[in-house]
Amino acid sequence: KNEVEQSPQNLTAQEGEFITINCSYSVGISALHWLQQHPGGGIVSLFMLSSGKKKHGRLIATINIQEKHSSLHITASHPRDSAVYICAVRFADTGNQFYFGTGTSLTVIP
Amino acid sequence: GAGVSQTPSNKVTEKGKYVELRCDPISGHTALYWYRQSLGQGPEFLIYFQGTGAADDSGLPNDRFFAVRPEGSVSTLKIQRTERGDSAVYLCASSFPGGRTDTQYFGPGTRLTVL
């Protein structure tokens, strides 16, 4: 069964803290997508990766294909990072559609 | 425009009515996706177009839902005989052709409320 699980579901951090959000999936994938969704706002793509690690500013995404796991890290967190972070995967056997996790709601307190 | 646009931004309708939701993808993007997001949930895949054809419509929940993309650009999601359970944010995304890791660009969504 194709499943995507994220943890934690909710996360509150103090400004400046290092944050990790996790995503696990059930079977082999061809791509994994990290997305950011602000309250009442649209979805913004952060990273698309299929292996290794990507970095953009204070954001880092890693993926471990063998363990079927990806992490999104935020360094020196800021209140403007407060949003829902969503992991979406394209499974190797399901064509082009993406399966989404339920998201991690992050609140960064000043 | 620079991004994916969707209209209307909000739609309130009565149970049993017909609605159309429109998506304007980024110019040149041949791939177009429709998703539905219920409150507190992640997006759920509905249908994927490559050009004018629906390459994968396995996510459409039933035959009340239908989508078209007649000229390979703008797409319309059509819902017949709406039900209260159809209330959700309907998201559209588009991507560049080719490559299995192509990044999807999302529109702002249409919030549909069925009374």
Side-chain angles (χ1 to χ4, degrees), chain A residues 37 45 48 90 97-98 100, chain B residues 35 37 43 100-102 104:
Chain A
Q37 186 172 31
S45 170
M48 177 84 91
R90 176 189 280 148
Q97 67 169 289
F98 276 83
F100 291 76
Chain B
Y35 298 94
Q37 186 174 25
R100 291 181 67 80
T101 62
D102 50 298
Q104 295 189 20

Side-chain angles (χ1 to χ4, degrees), chain A:
Chain A
K1 185 179 177 184
N2 297 335
E3 293 182 336
V4 183
E5 292 187 354
Q6 284 187 239
S7 63
Q9 193 170 10
N10 293 283
L11 180 58
T12 300
Q14 292 287 333
E15 183 173 356
E17 285 186 7
F18 180 84
I19 289 163
T20 297
I21 298 170
N22 298 297
C23 176
S24 297
Y25 48 90
S26 54
V27 295
I29 65 168
S30 59
L32 183 143
H33 208 160
W34 280 105
L35 306 160
Q36 181 192 56
Q37 186 172 31
H38 283 280
I43 293 177
V44 175
S45 170
L46 298 176
F47 297 103
M48 177 84 91
L49 66 167
S50 57
S51 64
K53 174 181 175 179
K54 287 190 175 180
K55 184 177 188 295
H56 181 70
R58 295 181 295 105
L59 302 177
I60 303 167
T62 63
I63 188 168
N64 185 315
I65 298 298
Q66 287 73 30
E67 295 185 2
K68 299 184 177 61
H69 179 269
S70 175
S71 292
L72 176 68
H73 305 286
I74 305 175
T75 62
S77 59
H78 190 276
R80 65 174 174 267
D81 297 327
S82 299
V84 175
Y85 292 84
I86 302 170
C87 170
V89 305
R90 176 189 280 148
F91 290 103
D93 62 352
T94 57
N96 284 287
Q97 67 169 289
F98 276 83
Y99 289 79
F100 291 76
T102 54
T104 294
S105 179
L106 171 66
T107 302
V108 181
I109 300 170

Side-chain angles (χ1 to χ4, degrees), chain B residues 55-69:
Chain B
D56 184 350
D57 64 357
S58 61
L60 295 177
N62 52 59
D63 61 6
R64 295 187 297 106
F65 288 74
F66 189 70
V68 296
R69 196 186 185 199

Side-chain angles (χ1 to χ4, degrees), chain B residues 24-94:
Chain B
D24 264 288
I26 292 173
S27 178
H29 283 193
T30 60
L32 185 147
Y33 302 77
W34 281 101
Y35 298 94
R36 177 169 70 173
Q37 186 174 25
S38 300
L39 190 64
Q41 301 294 317
E44 172 193 18
F45 170 80
L46 296 177
I47 187 169
Y48 157 65
F49 286 92
Q50 182 60 261
T52 60
D56 184 350
D57 64 357
S58 61
L60 295 177
N62 52 59
D63 61 6
R64 295 187 297 106
F65 288 74
F66 189 70
V68 296
R69 196 186 185 199
E71 298 178 359
S73 177
V74 171
S75 177
T76 304
L77 178 66
K78 308 180 180 190
I79 311 173
Q80 298 176 319
R81 304 183 304 280
T82 52
E83 299 178 356
R84 291 194 180 86
D86 299 334
S87 297
V89 176
Y90 288 82
L91 296 163
C92 175
S94 69

